[in-house]
Amino acid sequence: HAFPPITEFPIVSAEEAQDIDDAELVLGVVVNGKARAYPINMMAEPLREVFNDTLGGRAIAATW
């Protein structure tokens, strides 16, 4: 049973991020000098299996 990919989600700066502890695991991605971190605890829920995103001018898929 596949879940649809997530294509719309809030993107905030590290300073604005809430509910993320300093010791929390993240999936970090860098593309063309642009970085993003996807918190693992927010990706582990059943409806958040794949995040389709654009980073550094490239389409990417983040999954856990």
Side-chain angles (χ1 to χ4, degrees):
H1 182 279
F3 295 100
I6 304 298
T7 57
E8 294 184 27
F9 46 90
I11 298 172
V12 298
S13 69
E15 293 80 19
E16 296 173 309
Q18 298 177 1
D19 300 324
I20 299 176
D21 185 85
D22 288 344
E24 181 144 359
L25 294 175
V26 298
L27 174 63
V29 181
V30 179
V31 178
N32 293 329
K34 301 292 183 181
R36 186 150 302 142
Y38 302 90
I40 298 299
N41 74 331
M42 295 179 185
M43 297 179 76
E45 297 175 15
L47 296 179
R48 298 181 186 269
E49 198 170 85
V50 177
F51 284 75
N52 286 338
D53 201 357
T54 303
L55 184 64
R58 307 259 334 243
I60 65 168
T63 185
W64 176 255

